[in-house]
Amino acid sequence: NAGVMQNPRHLVRRRGQEARLRCSPMKGHSHVYWYRQLPEEGLKFMVYLQKENIIDESGMPKERFSAEFPKEGPSILRIQQVVRGDSAAYFCASSPQKNEQYFGPGTRLTVT
Amino acid sequence: AQTVTQSQPEMSVQEAETVTLSCTYDTSENNYYLFWYKQPPSRQMILVIRQEAYKQQNATENRFSVNFQKAAKSFSLKISDSQLGDTAMYFCAWMNRDDKIIFGKGTRLHILP
């Protein structure tokens, strides 16, 4: 049973470009969570999704950031018009039910 | 608001020694979960141990055990017979029934040969 997959593992974008981060949950998992880790910090919750629904987006910046988890395919975290402050590691976690989250390897985004 | 505090930014111990990492948290909720995650240089987040707040018995996983003091809101991690592969960042984390995990800032642990 493959774990949570994230791609790309490393992504470099120039300021103003768009970044798309993908997360494929573990088989049978219908809950997906996105977290951001700034350098030397712990992970911070961004958004919680179930298939075709955003359940909690209280940690998402109000502008430029969006997330989706379509009926088919991976969950996508999209950052428009990236800025240097968006440079971070972005982790996805999936869960088959409440109270258990399995993390992917993360995507390290660098904005130049 | 819920917070998780790890008061030790960095620690070093000799291989085979026992080390305890501290964690305190603040919440007004009664039902929640506590975790310790390990993040090695690969940056993968690895679940080390999990504690349910309604269980009084401290969780144990091989060389890893916790000291859960609910009234004091304390959740420390003890690593026995430490090994070089235990070198990593360790994050204490709290989760409620809404499934949002709150992480501490981490403790960088060095196991010295």
Side-chain angles (χ1 to χ4, degrees), chain B residues 5-83:
Chain B
T5 302
Q6 293 180 249
S7 59
Q8 304 148 314
E10 196 158 0
M11 298 181 71
S12 297
V13 296
Q14 293 294 137
E15 191 177 7
E17 288 185 350
T18 294
V19 59
T20 299
L21 280 59
S22 302
C23 173
T24 57
Y25 59 94
D26 188 22
T27 182
S28 58
E29 300 191 28
N30 196 41
N31 294 322
Y32 49 88
Y33 296 80
L34 294 161
F35 308 90
W36 278 96
Y37 281 90
K38 172 185 177 181
Q39 188 177 45
S42 66
R43 300 186 70 87
Q44 175 77 49
M45 292 293 286
I46 301 165
L47 178 62
V48 174
I49 202 163
R50 175 176 184 257
Q51 175 80 42
E52 295 162 17
Y54 64 86
K55 289 188 177 178
Q56 291 187 338
Q57 187 172 4
N58 289 325
T60 299
E61 287 288 338
N62 300 314
R63 297 183 295 107
F64 299 87
S65 61
V66 297
N67 183 3
F68 173 45
Q69 303 286 331
K70 190 172 183 180
K73 296 180 183 173
S74 169
F75 184 61
S76 61
L77 175 69
K78 185 171 85 169
I79 306 174
S80 303
D81 186 25
S82 57
Q83 301 174 359

Side-chain angles (χ1 to χ4, degrees), chain A residues 4 24 26 44 58-59 66 70 73 79 82 84-85 96 109:
Chain A
V4 178
S24 296
M26 289 176 71
K44 288 201 165 43
S58 58
S66 62
I79 312 172
V82 296
R84 288 235 172 94
L109 172 65

Side-chain angles (χ1 to χ4, degrees), chain A residues 33 35 37 40 42-43 45 56 58 91 98-99 101 103-105 108, chain B residues 33 37 39 43-45 50 91 95 97 99-101 103-105 108:
Chain A
Y33 310 80
Y35 294 83
Q37 184 180 30
E40 304 303 317
L43 280 68
F45 169 82
D56 181 349
S58 58
F91 288 88
K98 283 179 168 291
N99 306 323
Q101 294 184 24
F103 282 83
R108 187 186 296 245
Chain B
Y33 296 80
Y37 281 90
Q39 188 177 45
R43 300 186 70 87
Q44 175 77 49
M45 292 293 286
R50 175 176 184 257
F91 292 99
M95 181 173 77
R97 56 189 173 201
D99 280 1
K100 187 186 304 182
I101 298 182
F103 286 88
K105 291 197 171 186
R108 189 178 299 277

Side-chain angles (χ1 to χ4, degrees), chain A residues 8-28:
Chain A
R9 294 292 307 276
H10 300 274
L11 181 62
V12 180
R13 285 286 178 266
R14 291 198 183 96
R15 279 178 296 171
Q17 291 185 317
E18 178 179 287
R20 279 181 177 246
L21 288 63
R22 293 176 189 77
C23 169
S24 296
M26 289 176 71
K27 188 176 180 181

